[in-house]
């Protein structure tokens, strides 16, 4: 009798749900197939009907993007960031978010798993950059770094006050980064100002006033009025 596709889909979903929880809680090496199938209420033999290996299961868990990406797709980025960095939700956030809980395990995993992690991170940044012209917006990328990094460091820290401080700082900075940029005010249009006329000096004005009189005298064939007459040739003798 062929397997029921609906039953197979439900079995896969159960395996994914429990495997994700165990991987995020214990890490890749601290979780085995028997633990996953026992938590899902299935036999070990049923595992290979869905996944070829534990590595394939781990890659599927990473690619699912549970945690920050899932929350961002369902809500407002600022509200999600506030809840993600809430003090009371630190333990739950760290265990439920693939990006925060599995970063160290993914760094040591094969390339296929790391590429799946990169796709989830790209998706989270794109959701934070919602409404902006670029999906890899610099401010949204910085907000993602702050949020995920604060959860990782806060989870690793044994100091609750320090963890709380990390979350508060990340939330404050992330909120400021996600605010829409202020629109620049339009510059007023200024009419071109006419260049002022150059002032002429008094000496130039006087010289210009005397020129027409001298020209008129020359045109009549004589010297200008008041000019001294030269001696005649007879007188010079």
């Amino acid at each position: 009798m062929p397997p029921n596709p609906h039953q197979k889909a439900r079995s896969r979903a159960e395996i994914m749900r429990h495997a994700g929880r165990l991987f995020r809680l214990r890490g890749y090496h601290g979780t085995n197939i028997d633990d996953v199938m026992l938590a899902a209420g299935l036999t070990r033999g049923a595992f290979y009907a869905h996944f070829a290996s534990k590595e394939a299961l781990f890659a599927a868990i990473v690619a699912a993007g549970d945690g920050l990406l899932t929350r961002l797709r369902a809500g407002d980025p600022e509200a999600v960031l506030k809840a993600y960095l809430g003090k009371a939700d630190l333990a739950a956030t760290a265990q439920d978010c693939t990006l925060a809980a599995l970063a160290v395990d993914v760094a040591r995993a094969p390339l296929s798993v790391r590429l799946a992690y990169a796709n989830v991170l790209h998706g989270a940044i794109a959701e934070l950059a919602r409404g902006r012209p670029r999906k890899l917006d610099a401010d949204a990328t910085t907000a993602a770094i702050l949020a995920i990094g604060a959860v990782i460091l806060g989870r690793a820290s044994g100091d609750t006050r320090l963890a709380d401080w990390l979350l508060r700082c990340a939330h404050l900075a992330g909120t400021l980064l996600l605010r829409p940029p202020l629109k620049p005010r339009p510059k007023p249009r200024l009419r071109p100002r006419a260049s002022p006329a150059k002032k002429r000096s008094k000496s130039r004005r006087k010289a210009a006033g005397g020129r027409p009189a001298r020209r008129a005298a020359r045109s009549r064939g004589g010297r200008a009025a008041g000019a001294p007459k030269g001696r005649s040739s007879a007188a010079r003798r």
Side-chain angles (χ1 to χ4, degrees):
M1 183 177 179
N4 188 341
H6 297 288
Q7 181 64 35
K8 186 174 182 180
R10 285 195 295 269
S11 298
R12 180 184 175 88
E14 282 295 303
I15 295 172
M16 289 280 293
R17 183 168 69 88
H18 291 284
R21 178 177 58 84
L22 292 174
F23 278 135
R24 288 188 293 268
L25 181 63
R26 302 178 182 178
Y28 178 79
H29 296 287
T31 304
N32 55 53
I33 296 176
D34 291 330
D35 294 337
V36 173
M37 300 308 289
L38 179 63
L42 300 170
T43 62
R44 181 184 176 91
F47 173 83
Y48 295 99
H50 303 278
F51 302 98
S53 62
K54 176 183 171 182
E55 180 184 311
L57 173 61
F58 187 62
I61 295 298
V62 172
D66 293 334
L68 181 59
L69 178 57
T70 305
R71 295 184 185 186
L72 286 171
R73 285 173 174 171
D76 178 70
E78 290 191 22
V80 170
L81 198 67
K82 181 179 180 180
Y84 185 80
L85 295 171
K87 177 182 177 181
D89 296 333
L90 175 60
T93 299
Q95 292 180 7
D96 292 343
C97 181
T98 298
L99 292 171
L102 298 179
V104 176
D105 291 290
V106 169
R108 301 170 182 171
L111 180 60
S112 59
V113 180
R114 285 181 280 144
L115 291 177
Y117 186 93
N119 289 333
V120 174
L121 185 56
H122 270 278
I125 295 172
E127 291 295 331
L128 289 171
R130 196 183 304 167
R132 295 172 181 253
R134 297 184 60 184
K135 291 184 177 180
L136 278 180
D137 179 78
D139 291 338
T141 303
T142 306
I145 295 171
L146 290 170
I148 299 169
V151 172
I152 293 174
L153 295 175
R155 182 192 185 192
S157 173
D159 189 338
T160 56
R161 290 186 179 181
L162 176 59
D164 180 39
W165 178 245
L166 293 174
L167 298 176
R168 286 167 56 193
C169 291
H171 175 244
L172 177 61
T175 302
L176 293 176
L177 289 169
L178 293 181
R179 287 180 180 176
L182 296 176
K183 295 182 179 180
R185 295 181 179 179
K187 295 182 179 180
R189 295 183 179 180
L190 301 177
R191 294 182 179 179
R193 183 183 298 176
S195 58
K198 296 182 178 180
K199 294 183 179 180
R200 302 174 66 182
S201 62
K202 293 182 179 180
S203 59
R204 290 184 178 181
R205 287 200 299 268
K206 290 180 178 179
R211 286 172 188 167
R214 290 197 293 271
R215 289 176 183 172
R218 291 195 188 99
S219 64
R220 291 194 297 269
R223 293 185 178 86
K229 297 180 179 180
R231 290 182 298 176
S232 63
S233 58
R236 286 198 298 270
R237 290 175 189 165

